[in-house]
Amino acid sequence: MCGIVGYVGPRPVLDVLVPGLTHLEYRGYDSAGVALNVGDRIEVIKTAGRMSDLEDLIGYFEGDVISGVGHTRWATHGAPNSVNAHPHTDASGDAVVVHNGIVENWSELKQKLIESGHEFRSQTDTEVVAHMIGDLADLPLVEAVRQVMNEAEGALALAVMRRSEPELIVGARRGSPLVVGRGDGENFLASDIPAFLEHTREMVVIDDNRVIEVRPTSIRLMDLEGNEIEPEHRKVEWDFEAAEKGGYDTFMLKEIYEQPKAIADTLAGRVSQSGRVVLNELEMDDRLLRAIDKVFVIACGTSYHAAMMAKYAIERWTRLPVEIDIASEFRYRDPVLDSRSLVIAISQSGETIDTLEAARYAKAQGANLIGVSNVVDSALAREADAVLYTRAGPEIGVAATKTFTTQLVAMQLLGLYLAQVRGTLDPGAIEVMVRDLTLLPGQVEEVLEISDEIRRLTGQWSDVNDYFFLGRSGDFPVAMEGALKLKEIAYVRAEGYAAGEMKHGPIALIEKGVVVVGVATDSHVKTKTLSNMQEMKARDGTIVLIAENGDDVGDVADHVIKVPEGRDLLCTVTAVVPLQLLAYHVATAKGLDVDKPRNLAKTVTVE
Ligand code: M6R
């Protein structure tokens, strides 16, 4: 997830680009840059770090600028340094590109370009686009961009400039957001409305698979076949803060709704048409992965719940023994590690000190370390022998939502990959699961539609202070995560428990007024979970059940929340979404600030 701004018009261009990018920093903040068309050349200024670092460099720039594009980056390919920062230019420096999204077939395109003599400076997928545009210098810019859009696969929002056409920016959109702000004798192009809201409230919506020419006094929209399309004009009614949140009341809600896209990004380029998992980026020798005889997964908080799911997935699919540890406990139990151990450390931020120290300890014992992180080049990523990025984009809300579901998907990919390399699942079984993984974005979309139903349900619980979340097998980590979400943002006591364990003690706490949420999607144990829920009902608990469409759950629940039918373990991704919404609605009904819950920090860098 990155932020794009473009401007053509009479204002000092940097006075538009810099504040515009600053307003988009919530979309990415590991590096930033601008390209300025000064007529006889394009000047590129870029740096690692935040907008304030870029502003320091821009301070040295002098000259009359005709148009410009800028970018604030959230790295997906290549470390967040000044070389990988956008904008990227073609070989001549005459064409310049900023990009938000992932070019899925970039390595194939790059190979072709290298064979035809192109030299690459960065490790990004975006530079491929710049070289392709450079090769099409004979075509009008809009045609060149259209051609690139037809060749590049994946999510692309582009803003492209050419030195020879200084009063023109060409935008393109597929899968990543891009809008035009319409001014009087000036126009803006941006990933999101806050970038231009202080200048205009008039906007043009750009649908997917569109290319747009933006000049000071005109815009021209077309589809990928080159047919002209009538632009749809809208007026922005939001204020600044609402616009930053994309019209949602909170970042947390926005991030919950971003999950279909985030999951699609996690999968992008990692599953093949033929149903294989493609994790070339891991750069871990297959022989080494075949020699592993034990796996450890370590993490904290929400990431630990992803680790719990990973244990089920890796054991089920590879038959390797897996131990999971809360990272802050790992070092102190003297785990038995050696060069045949694979340690997977999961951390959204990649900076959580408990996880980092545990990972360092594992490496020092000779274990092989895979880091699973959302932040490119994080401390964990640098420490690890190999990294798998979750690609959820920046998460501003303290409560993890999209970073959790993408961790689940990343771990499912990793589990299947290990099974593929070690030959423990036959290719047909992997193919079926890969296909089902690709259904997840759409299934999560479906679940999001029941938000109002959940709000109405939780509206009856203003006096409830005791919640239990129960599940077995793959449903257990989901239950744990549901309880954690509620605790951290609604400040109510919520226990996540293995449903079958309740009868060994905690059932004593169940009485009238206690809400018990059961998760029953894992086919191995569904009926057992339902029996456990009957036991809660018999003690007068209020029963809510998360079950799959098509399942007959009898009369055990006071309320049933249905999620799409899915494969075991993959279903964790859809089953947790109603629980995120449940926590959200309980907390907001109490008037709490869900984005910044009390006593918490987004990243915990103390032991
Ligand atoms: O960045 P990490 O994934 O390492 O963070 C771990 C936990 O601090 C984090 O998941 C925390 O539990 C979240 N606030 C949960 O919503």
Side-chain angles (χ1 to χ4, degrees):
M1 196 158 122
C2 305
I4 291 176
V5 186
Y7 177 71
V8 273
R11 294 175 204 257
V13 171
L14 281 166
D15 289 358
V16 176
L17 296 186
V18 171
L21 289 172
T22 306
H23 290 311
L24 293 188
E25 261 199 313
Y26 72 90
R27 301 183 61 83
Y29 40 73
D30 59 41
S31 46
V34 290
L36 309 170
N37 201 331
V38 292
D40 60 345
R41 66 181 199 287
I42 289 181
E43 186 82 32
V44 174
I45 308 170
K46 56 184 187 173
T47 180
R50 304 194 70 128
M51 275 307 294
S52 50
D53 300 300
L54 181 66
E55 280 180 73
D56 291 344
L57 288 181
I58 285 174
Y60 296 102
F61 176 79
E62 282 174 15
D64 293 331
V65 185
I66 305 167
S67 60
V69 293
H71 189 266
T72 173
R73 181 169 185 243
W74 178 261
T76 58
H77 290 69
N81 55 35
S82 59
V83 177
N84 290 331
H86 298 210
H88 290 282
T89 53
D90 70 333
S92 67
D94 280 355
V96 70
V97 175
V98 289
H99 165 219
N100 171 27
I102 297 166
V103 181
E104 285 177 25
N105 56 340
W106 72 283
S107 78
E108 196 182 308
L109 295 171
K110 184 172 177 174
Q111 198 46 44
K112 272 198 218 157
L113 287 160
I114 289 173
E115 280 160 20
S116 64
H118 287 267
E119 283 179 22
F120 279 76
R121 297 167 292 257
S122 76
Q123 292 124 21
T124 63
D125 51 340
T126 307
E127 197 183 336
V128 164
V129 175
H131 288 277
M132 289 167 83
I133 300 278
D135 272 0
L136 299 168
D138 292 343
L139 292 181
L141 186 56
V142 72
E143 286 306 311
V145 173
R146 199 166 64 77
Q147 195 157 314
V148 169
M149 287 297 286
N150 282 318
E151 281 183 53
E153 291 165 13
L156 301 177
L158 300 174
V160 186
M161 289 194 314
R162 208 180 244 172
R163 181 190 50 77
S164 54
E165 294 176 88
E167 294 221 316
L168 169 67
I169 300 173
V170 173
R173 171 183 176 159
R174 179 172 61 229
S176 297
L178 198 66
V179 285
V180 167
R182 296 213 62 181
D184 189 6
E186 60 180 355
N187 282 314
F188 308 78
L189 190 64
S191 301
D192 206 351
I193 298 162
F196 54 73
L197 200 52
E198 65 185 282
H199 307 297
T200 180
R201 290 186 166 268
E202 304 298 326
M203 63 172 273
V204 170
V205 184
I206 308 174
D207 288 328
D208 270 352
N209 296 313
R210 299 284 183 265
V211 178
I212 189 159
E213 275 188 338
V214 182
R215 299 178 194 274
T217 52
S218 67
I219 61 163
R220 205 161 72 94
L221 189 62
M222 64 198 68
D223 63 20
L224 294 187
E225 282 74 50
N227 304 308
E228 217 157 302
I229 308 236
E230 195 54 41
E232 185 192 328
H233 296 261
R234 281 211 203 136
K235 196 168 182 88
V236 183
E237 309 289 355
W238 301 329
D239 62 17
F240 242 121
E241 212 192 306
E244 253 195 343
K245 293 174 185 152
Y248 292 98
D249 290 342
T250 62
F251 279 110
M252 180 180 174
L253 192 61
K254 176 169 176 270
E255 286 153 6
I256 289 175
Y257 275 83
E258 280 172 354
Q259 290 180 111
K261 168 81 170 72
I263 293 165
D265 284 348
T266 309
L267 292 169
R270 289 168 169 168
V271 291
S272 74
Q273 297 281 3
S274 60
R276 287 180 66 77
V277 181
V278 187
L279 291 186
N280 300 341
E281 68 208 80
L282 265 190
E283 287 176 2
M284 217 172 221
D285 199 274
D286 283 1
R287 275 170 308 183
L288 192 151
L289 291 177
R290 282 192 206 104
I292 295 298
D293 63 4
K294 195 166 186 184
V295 179
F296 295 78
V297 194
I298 50 176
C300 302
T302 289
S303 300
Y304 177 73
H305 301 147
M308 289 173 72
M309 193 289 307
K311 174 180 168 72
Y312 294 112
I314 297 172
E315 286 189 339
R316 231 177 251 184
W317 299 338
T318 71
R319 307 310 301 144
L320 276 166
V322 181
E323 290 188 28
I324 49 174
D325 276 88
I326 291 173
S328 56
E329 291 293 316
F330 185 65
R331 284 179 288 160
Y332 307 108
R333 73 171 173 94
D334 208 3
V336 182
L337 297 156
D338 59 32
S339 61
R340 298 183 72 179
S341 312
L342 174 64
V343 173
I344 304 169
I346 309 176
S347 171
Q348 181 283 127
S349 59
E351 305 290 337
T352 300
I353 199 74
D354 289 325
T355 310
L356 260 180
E357 288 299 337
R360 285 178 182 139
Y361 173 87
K363 259 190 95 177
Q365 306 294 310
N368 304 284
L369 177 65
I370 295 183
V372 177
S373 172
N374 191 39
V375 180
V376 172
D377 215 30
S378 59
L380 175 63
R382 286 197 298 272
E383 201 72 46
D385 300 308
V387 196
L388 185 60
Y389 290 113
T390 50
R391 302 181 184 157
E395 191 173 66
I396 312 284
V398 165
T401 52
K402 63 175 179 169
T403 57
F404 177 60
T405 43
T406 53
Q407 282 172 347
L408 292 174
V409 172
M411 293 312 298
Q412 289 158 2
L413 282 169
L414 186 55
L416 289 175
Y417 183 70
L418 290 174
Q420 190 173 281
V421 171
R422 295 171 65 92
T424 47
L425 281 181
D426 71 68
I430 295 179
E431 189 183 334
V432 168
M433 278 195 271
V434 161
R435 191 205 54 213
D436 286 1
L437 274 173
T438 63
L439 301 179
L440 285 172
Q443 292 177 335
V444 169
E445 197 95 57
E446 250 179 77
V447 180
L448 291 170
E449 283 168 21
I450 58 176
S451 179
D452 276 346
E453 176 189 330
I454 296 174
R455 188 174 42 74
R456 282 193 295 276
L457 173 68
T458 56
Q460 306 158 26
W461 298 342
S462 53
D463 297 331
V464 176
N465 276 315
D466 278 302
Y467 291 80
F468 273 86
F469 289 78
L470 308 180
R472 303 176 74 134
S473 187
D475 295 322
F476 179 29
V478 175
M480 294 292 289
E481 177 59 9
L484 177 61
K485 283 289 89 80
L486 194 59
K487 277 186 264 214
E488 67 180 334
I489 63 168
Y491 316 150
V492 287
R493 226 145 283 153
E495 294 241 30
Y497 236 86
E501 185 67 5
M502 287 296 284
K503 56 186 175 292
H504 298 289
I507 197 167
L509 293 169
I510 305 299
E511 59 182 346
K512 197 170 176 46
V514 178
V515 172
V516 187
V517 182
V519 187
T521 67
D522 193 312
S523 64
H524 293 83
V525 288
K526 260 183 211 177
T527 48
K528 289 189 193 300
T529 307
L530 292 183
S531 305
N532 296 141
M533 295 308 288
Q534 286 289 3
E535 293 153 14
M536 305 307 126
K537 186 182 164 100
R539 271 84 186 168
D540 269 344
T542 301
I543 309 298
V544 178
L545 195 70
I546 312 291
E548 286 175 288
N549 284 335
D551 274 356
D552 178 8
V553 294
D555 63 353
V556 63
D558 298 289
H559 196 94
V560 182
I561 296 172
K562 288 292 182 89
V563 296
E565 249 176 286
R567 197 159 295 278
D568 286 347
L569 299 179
L570 272 51
C571 220
T572 49
V573 178
T574 44
V576 77
V577 176
L579 304 189
Q580 297 169 340
L581 290 166
L582 185 150
Y584 181 83
H585 289 306
V586 171
T588 50
K590 292 171 98 184
L592 298 172
D593 179 353
V594 296
D595 285 338
K596 292 194 197 72
R598 69 184 181 200
N599 306 339
L600 297 183
K602 182 73 185 160
T603 304
V604 184
T605 52
V606 289
E607 279 193 66

